[in-house]
């Protein structure tokens, strides 16, 4: 079994700005497990434990999900928290103008993967890039004050040309991600 997910990679230009904001937030002294820059991505579907024999079928679903959807762009902007800024559990960077193409691919992935036995995510798809997970309430007020200074940051436009099936290996030093397969978006 492997642990896996389907995601969009972040361009170097956008990633640089995300890391700058992440560094500002780190200075708040809050107890957060920050995502390492090389692991920052936009998740389309978390698969969890996956049998290696399912990979071929998953890639087929990825290809079907992107069929007829050419490359597109999304704007990456704003900083927020789930469930909200008063009780932050996950600190994220948002996708501002969610393109129909992104929603269509994510919806098709959910439906296609459900046919392979993966559970459908409950609720509305809220595309975001996770920066870190809050571990404790320590210095929470500092974090909120710091988030307010970066909340309206614009990180740039992300060109989406591929979606990736990524393997996640949990190591003592943190997760290590490896791209198993990439699917190109074509018209």
């Amino acid at each position: 079994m492997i642990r896996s997910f389907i995601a969009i990679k972040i361009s170097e230009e956008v990633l640089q700005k995300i890391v700058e904001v992440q560094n500002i937030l780190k200075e708040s002294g809050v107890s957060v497990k920050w995502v390492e820059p090389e692991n920052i991505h936009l998740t389309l579907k978390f698969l969890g434990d996956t049998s290696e024999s399912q990979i071929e079928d998953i890639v087929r679903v990825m290809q079907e999900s992107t069929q007829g959807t050419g490359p597109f762009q999304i704007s990456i902007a704003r900083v927020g928290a789930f469930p909200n800024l008063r009780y932050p559990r996950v600190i994220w960077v948002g996708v501002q103008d969610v393109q129909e193409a992104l929603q269509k691919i994510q919806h098709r992935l959910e439906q296609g993967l459900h046919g392979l036995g993966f559970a459908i995510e409950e609720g509305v798809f809220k595309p975001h890039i996770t920066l870190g997970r809050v571990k404790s309430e320590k210095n929470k007020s500092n974090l909120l004050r710091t988030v307010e200074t970066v909340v309206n940051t614009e990180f740039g436009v992300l060109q989406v040309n591929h979606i990736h099936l990524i393997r996640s290996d949990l190591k003592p030093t943190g997760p290590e991600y490896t791209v198993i397969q990439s699917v190109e978006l074509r018209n």
Side-chain angles (χ1 to χ4, degrees):
M1 293 291 250
I2 59 168
R3 189 169 184 261
S4 65
F5 59 91
I6 298 170
I8 294 170
K9 289 184 149 198
I10 309 301
S11 67
E12 276 302 316
E13 185 183 351
V14 172
L15 184 61
Q16 257 183 352
K17 292 179 183 171
I18 289 174
V19 170
E20 285 172 20
V21 166
Q22 200 180 37
N23 287 337
I24 292 169
L25 294 172
K26 283 178 183 176
E27 291 172 10
S28 67
V30 73
S31 180
V32 172
K33 171 68 177 144
W34 297 104
V35 177
E36 296 296 324
E38 65 269 20
N39 289 342
I40 291 176
H41 62 272
L42 193 164
T43 302
L44 293 172
K45 175 71 179 169
F46 180 75
L47 301 172
D49 288 334
T50 310
S51 165
E52 292 193 38
S53 64
Q54 290 180 292
I55 290 175
E56 193 175 312
D57 288 331
I58 292 168
V59 172
R60 180 183 44 78
V61 168
M62 290 169 65
Q63 291 166 338
E64 291 169 359
S65 300
T66 57
Q67 215 162 28
T69 305
F72 61 94
Q73 297 180 330
I74 49 177
S75 293
I76 308 299
R78 297 191 58 80
V79 177
F82 291 133
N84 57 58
L85 283 174
R86 289 188 65 174
Y87 302 100
R89 302 297 311 147
V90 173
I91 310 297
W92 50 257
V93 167
V95 176
Q96 279 310 287
D97 54 344
V98 178
Q99 296 294 312
E100 187 182 336
L102 180 65
Q103 290 180 317
K104 187 185 291 183
I105 290 170
Q106 198 277 337
H107 178 74
R108 287 176 175 175
L109 282 172
E110 286 286 356
Q111 299 304 314
L113 292 167
H114 183 62
L116 299 180
F118 292 95
I120 291 181
E121 293 282 331
E122 290 183 21
V124 179
F125 173 57
K126 294 179 183 168
H128 65 278
I129 299 164
T130 299
L131 296 185
R133 292 173 176 79
V134 178
K135 291 166 55 179
S136 81
E137 298 282 309
K138 182 184 162 203
N139 292 332
K140 186 178 94 175
S141 57
N142 287 352
L143 175 67
L144 297 182
R145 278 193 296 274
T146 308
V147 167
E148 285 174 11
T149 67
V150 296
V151 72
N152 291 318
T153 303
E154 293 187 12
F155 298 90
V157 173
L158 185 64
Q159 176 69 36
V160 181
N161 296 321
H162 298 85
I163 63 172
H164 308 275
L165 174 61
I166 299 174
R167 175 186 180 134
S168 170
D169 292 305
L170 299 176
K171 308 262 175 143
T173 53
E176 283 184 16
Y177 297 158
T178 309
V179 173
I180 297 172
Q181 184 91 32
S182 299
V183 171
E184 185 177 2
L185 275 58
R186 296 182 186 173
N187 287 320

